Amino acid sequence: MYSHDTFGLGHIRRSLAIARALRKVPATVLILTGSPLVGRFKIPRRVDFVRIPGMMKVTNEEYLPLSMKLEATEVVEIRKSIILSTAQAFCPDFFIVDKAPLGLKREVVETLHWMRDRLPTCTTILGLRDIMDGARATIEDWEAKGIYGAMDVLYDEIWVYGDPSFYDPITEYRIPEGIARKVIFTGYIPRHVPSAVDVKSVRHELGLGPEEKMVLMTTGGGGDGYPVVNTFLKAFEEHRAPPSVRVVIVTGPFLSPTHFKDVERRCASLGFHLFRFHRFMERLIGAADVIVSMGGYNTVCEIISQRKPFLIIPRTVPREEQLIRAEVLCRRGFCEYLPPERLSAEAVYRKVEHLLENGTEVASKAGDFPFTALDVIRSRILENRQGARVQWA
């Protein structure tokens, strides 16, 4: 599995969720990742990772080395070499590329061509989240970068981790018929649900009494999360939380040191629990009564997996992906959301207050969410493997 991981935690969390499911096929899974935090996650048996040098996303097109004192082009060449040599040594039966069909700066293209030429038994798979961006922006980007051609030539299958009745990228992104035949809608990726013992343990660690309610605020990786955290803090600076409500904030590890100091000072004043990173986010989610988050794919799946009422405050720059996802989910009754034009400290407080009092209905809808991805993915792997054995024989 290849995951470029230049921004946030979503890609590596999604890759690990899929890897955990595939090891039960059984399979041995090797993840190629640029995430600087991959070693802080619990890596299960039969799964391992190769860490390629990190790159930091500056804009949609500009990336800089995360820590190496080299030119960006030099680091990309190093990454490209590691990806290819790892694939050649591992000789996988399946190669799954997460989200970026060409990789960062086309770094995975050479490996995909090598597999086509030298390892034709390997099934190449592109895994896409449900929504990439607005339709016009995605079409323009894919046409400019030759993405449609890459999908046609370099991939055997395209897995969309979503449901076409929610959002249909084939229609929205004008995917040609020949490529569309490769698309398999897997449904959404469910996440680990912690045991009651684990949830009780987290609540005990946080000092929560049995009658106290907990509001969790998280921004995923946190690199672009400060405006949301700032508005959330203002909401509770203007309206103090009731004594029976405790608040926990996880800023994400990529929040800048300056912003983190500001958040730390304000949380201390309000009596909020603060974490920069939490290794077991699913346990914090399980302990919460209401969650406020941005609208990233992985965060949303983690929350709905545990049937928690939540409020999405989506980002709209550099992509509209989170806003579209929030609109789709809210329209179907799975969450509340605040679009940018309605975002204010007052609006955030009133939404949280409403969910604390009336979250049961939103949470009950989660039982109907199409969490079928892991079953579909396992079946595709088994079916392809069986087909390869027949062909080889």
Side-chain angles (χ1 to χ4, degrees):
M1 302 181 71
Y2 159 83
S3 177
H4 67 286
D5 288 294
T6 58
F7 191 75
L9 297 172
H11 299 290
I12 188 60
R13 293 183 75 88
R14 178 163 57 234
S15 295
L16 283 169
I18 294 170
R20 288 189 185 99
L22 289 181
R23 69 195 180 101
K24 299 175 183 177
V25 168
T28 296
V29 184
L30 187 61
I31 301 174
L32 283 155
T33 174
S35 173
L37 297 174
V38 61
R40 294 171 69 175
F41 291 101
K42 184 178 180 181
I43 308 297
R45 286 184 65 253
R46 305 183 72 91
V47 177
D48 211 333
F49 64 90
V50 171
R51 166 83 159 81
I52 53 180
M55 298 287 283
M56 177 174 58
K57 183 177 181 179
V58 180
T59 68
N60 267 356
E61 300 301 327
E62 185 182 3
Y63 299 86
L64 295 175
L66 185 64
S67 58
M68 297 182 75
K69 300 300 180 183
L70 296 171
E71 294 295 323
T73 52
E74 294 176 298
V75 176
V76 170
E77 286 302 313
I78 294 169
R79 287 167 58 105
K80 191 184 298 184
S81 177
I82 294 172
I83 292 165
L84 177 59
S85 60
T86 302
Q88 290 172 336
F90 195 60
C91 286
D93 298 296
F94 301 89
F95 186 59
I96 303 173
V97 173
D98 183 67
K99 180 192 172 276
L102 307 176
L104 183 148
K105 298 296 182 181
R106 302 180 62 87
E107 67 184 1
V108 81
V109 172
E110 186 178 351
T111 299
L112 287 165
H113 278 297
W114 177 83
M115 288 177 171
R116 278 285 187 260
D117 295 339
R118 304 295 296 275
L119 195 64
T121 56
C122 178
T123 301
T124 54
I125 298 159
L126 173 64
L128 299 177
R129 64 183 181 226
D130 56 346
I131 301 161
M132 302 298 289
D133 196 353
R136 179 182 294 180
T138 302
I139 292 167
E140 290 176 356
D141 183 60
W142 283 6
E143 286 179 342
K145 294 179 180 177
I147 299 298
Y148 294 107
M151 289 177 171
D152 186 29
V153 173
L154 298 177
Y155 290 97
D156 297 306
E157 293 189 0
I158 300 168
W159 296 347
V160 176
Y161 307 129
D163 187 308
S165 69
F166 282 44
Y167 190 87
D168 187 355
I170 292 176
T171 301
E172 296 290 339
Y173 304 150
R174 298 178 191 168
I175 295 177
E177 184 179 350
I179 302 171
R181 285 195 290 268
K182 300 181 181 183
V183 173
I184 295 165
F185 288 95
T186 66
Y188 288 84
I189 302 173
R191 300 309 166 88
H192 173 67
V193 177
S195 68
V197 172
D198 284 338
V199 171
K200 186 176 180 180
S201 174
V202 166
R203 289 183 64 89
H204 177 73
E205 290 170 10
L206 295 171
L208 299 178
E211 302 303 318
E212 288 184 307
K213 291 189 174 183
M214 172 183 153
V215 175
L216 171 65
M217 199 279 147
T218 174
T219 61
D224 56 358
Y226 180 73
V228 176
V229 177
N230 182 46
T231 304
F232 180 84
L233 285 169
K234 282 182 179 178
F236 285 89
E237 287 165 342
E238 295 174 7
H239 300 275
R240 288 280 175 161
S244 61
V245 175
R246 304 287 290 277
V247 178
V248 177
I249 295 179
V250 182
T251 64
F254 302 117
L255 184 72
S256 73
T258 300
H259 284 150
F260 185 79
K261 285 181 181 178
D262 174 64
V263 173
E264 189 175 39
R265 174 183 57 80
R266 294 161 73 184
C267 282
S269 175
L270 291 166
F272 290 179
H273 291 278
L274 175 66
F275 299 92
R276 182 184 282 276
F277 173 82
H278 200 286
R279 191 179 179 211
F280 299 107
M281 272 301 295
E282 66 275 7
R283 297 180 188 179
L284 278 184
I285 291 170
D289 296 279
V290 168
I291 299 163
V292 179
S293 75
M294 295 171 72
Y297 178 93
N298 295 281
T299 299
V300 164
C301 287
E302 287 167 353
I303 295 169
I304 299 179
S305 289
Q306 299 200 49
R307 304 189 181 189
K308 298 290 181 174
F310 69 113
L311 167 67
I312 295 179
I313 303 176
R315 72 164 185 241
T316 56
V317 178
R319 295 185 177 87
E320 294 185 332
E321 163 226 343
Q322 293 191 5
L323 177 62
I324 297 169
R325 183 175 298 111
E327 290 171 343
V328 168
L329 295 179
C330 184
R331 191 162 56 242
R332 289 173 170 262
F334 291 109
C335 69
E336 295 278 350
Y337 93 102
L338 281 170
E341 66 272 14
R342 286 171 43 207
L343 181 60
S344 68
E346 180 70 20
V348 169
Y349 187 85
R350 295 305 170 200
K351 285 285 189 182
V352 172
E353 186 179 51
H354 171 76
L355 287 171
L356 282 168
E357 295 173 0
N358 305 282
T360 307
E361 183 178 346
V362 173
S364 65
K365 283 282 295 180
D368 300 324
F369 203 71
F371 275 133
T372 56
L374 299 183
D375 289 336
V376 172
I377 288 170
R378 278 190 292 258
S379 70
R380 291 306 305 158
I381 292 293
L382 289 168
E383 187 175 327
N384 275 305
R385 185 168 66 178
Q386 184 61 36
R389 284 175 177 169
V390 171
Q391 186 179 26
W392 184 259

